[in-house]
Amino acid sequence: MSKIKNIGVICLIALFFISCGEYQKVLNKGTIEQQYKMASDLYEAENYNKALQLFEKVVPGFRGKPQMERIQFMISDCYYKTKQYSLAAYHFDRFSKNYPKSTKQEEAAFLAAQSYYLDTNVYSLDQTTTHEALGAMQLFMNTYPESLRIEDANSTIQELRLKLETKAFETAKQYHHIEDYIAAITAFDNLIGDYLGTKYREEAMYLKFDAGYELAMNSYFTKKEERIKNAVKYHEKLMKSYPNSEFLEKTDKKLEDLNKELAAHEELAASFEN
């Protein structure tokens, strides 16, 4: 039995070297027709890396010919299947522009958007590609509202938006952490305004109040009154939006401090006037 198995392994190895030799022969010395046929066969066999090498060689010879539409789509798909998503997005976009009436147009538009999505960074890094993916996926939904891929596209958009929300929330928290309270308040306002219904809204409102509290309590005399009143307003909005918020327990003492500080400030200001 082991002898038969060894013979099978030897045959597979021999077949591998023969096929590799044939591939190299066609790649380096084959006619453009041979290269195109082998590239197509390798693509159908899901050997995308080798297919890609051959497709790239035949492009100049088929430019402007009917076969070029199929070649360009397969090249795009090869990049996609080999997880080279930035290149896949670029080539699918080119395909869409070059062949607007193609039967593959909808699929190419979706795969371009999906490539941008798969090329996005984690939320803590630069989100340029996330914005590109969001724009591409939204364009796909607007262009093909009846597509069977709409559900997948919508799910992807929700995921991309959550990533941007998380980035905005973590950025605002970082400003709070480094005690840049003015920037933190602005960042929390932007988060709440840009992402209506965000899951971070309650905590963002609490941290905005906390930033307002710290800013007010450590302000110069001339700005203290205004900033105390602003912080109190932030607290009122938190209470109104979330009357049972878990964060209210943390704010009671700080609200009391603000009211005492405001009373002391007004008393001192009155003494100056007298």
Side-chain angles (χ1 to χ4, degrees):
M1 187 70 179
S2 60
K3 188 174 182 180
I4 295 173
K5 187 182 289 186
N6 288 338
I7 292 172
V9 171
I10 291 170
C11 288
L12 286 172
I13 292 173
L15 184 62
F16 172 76
F17 279 111
I18 290 170
S19 62
C20 283
E22 182 67 18
Y23 172 77
Q24 289 298 328
K25 180 180 176 182
V26 173
L27 178 67
N28 296 319
K29 297 181 179 179
T31 65
I32 190 172
E33 288 78 13
Q34 290 173 323
Q35 290 173 338
Y36 173 61
K37 183 181 184 309
M38 180 173 278
S40 299
D41 290 343
L42 288 168
Y43 174 82
E44 295 298 332
E46 300 181 3
N47 193 335
Y48 301 113
N49 282 311
K50 284 189 174 181
L52 195 53
Q53 286 183 281
L54 284 163
F55 279 132
E56 288 174 341
K57 291 205 72 169
V58 305
V59 163
F62 282 100
R63 190 168 284 122
K65 296 181 179 179
Q67 296 94 325
M68 194 59 205
E69 178 182 336
R70 183 168 182 263
I71 291 170
Q72 193 166 345
F73 183 87
M74 288 190 289
I75 287 174
S76 306
D77 200 36
C78 282
Y79 281 122
Y80 183 83
K81 295 290 175 47
T82 54
K83 299 183 179 181
Q84 300 179 71
Y85 296 121
S86 60
L87 286 170
Y90 170 76
H91 282 279
F92 277 125
D93 278 341
R94 280 189 62 196
F95 177 87
S96 295
K97 291 173 184 175
N98 291 341
Y99 304 101
K101 297 182 179 180
S102 171
T103 57
K104 291 282 192 179
Q105 178 65 227
E106 179 188 325
E107 184 179 359
F110 178 77
L111 289 174
Q114 189 72 0
S115 296
Y116 282 117
Y117 159 65
L118 292 170
D119 196 44
T120 58
N121 293 318
V122 296
Y123 76 83
S124 58
L125 300 177
D126 179 71
Q127 292 302 299
T128 299
T129 52
T130 302
H131 286 286
E132 290 174 339
L134 195 57
M137 198 61 78
Q138 190 64 63
L139 178 61
F140 171 80
M141 291 183 68
N142 294 341
T143 307
Y144 302 100
E146 304 300 323
S147 172
L148 296 177
R149 299 179 174 91
I150 283 292
E151 188 175 339
D152 290 337
N154 191 54
S155 177
T156 299
I157 283 177
Q158 297 305 316
E159 185 178 336
L160 291 166
R161 284 178 176 165
L162 178 58
K163 186 179 288 191
L164 293 176
E165 285 179 34
T166 303
K167 175 72 172 182
F169 180 62
E170 293 298 329
T171 298
K173 282 176 65 178
Q174 183 61 22
Y175 284 130
H176 186 282
H177 178 70
I178 63 174
E179 300 180 3
D180 188 347
Y181 296 120
I182 293 176
I185 291 168
T186 300
F188 284 125
D189 276 340
N190 290 340
L191 168 70
I192 294 168
D194 292 342
Y195 302 100
L196 301 178
T198 174
K199 68 175 187 176
Y200 300 113
R201 187 171 184 267
E202 181 180 351
E203 188 174 357
M205 292 182 75
Y206 160 68
L207 290 172
K208 177 185 172 183
F209 162 73
D210 193 67
Y213 167 83
E214 295 292 345
L215 184 63
M217 296 298 286
N218 295 285
S219 287
Y220 292 113
F221 181 84
T222 54
K223 293 188 176 182
K224 188 176 285 286
E225 181 179 1
E226 179 187 2
R227 288 176 173 175
I228 290 175
K229 289 180 177 179
N230 285 339
V232 171
K233 287 179 183 178
Y234 303 156
H235 184 269
E236 289 173 352
K237 288 182 179 179
L238 174 63
M239 287 185 65
K240 184 176 180 180
S241 297
Y242 302 97
N244 299 314
S245 174
E246 61 180 288
F247 297 112
L248 293 179
E249 292 183 10
K250 300 179 181 181
T251 65
D252 289 345
K253 178 64 169 65
K254 291 181 178 180
L255 183 63
E256 185 181 334
D257 290 343
L258 287 168
N259 288 324
K260 287 180 180 178
E261 191 72 14
L262 181 59
H265 177 85
E266 290 175 343
E267 185 178 339
L268 185 59
S271 69
F272 287 155
E273 292 176 1
N274 295 330

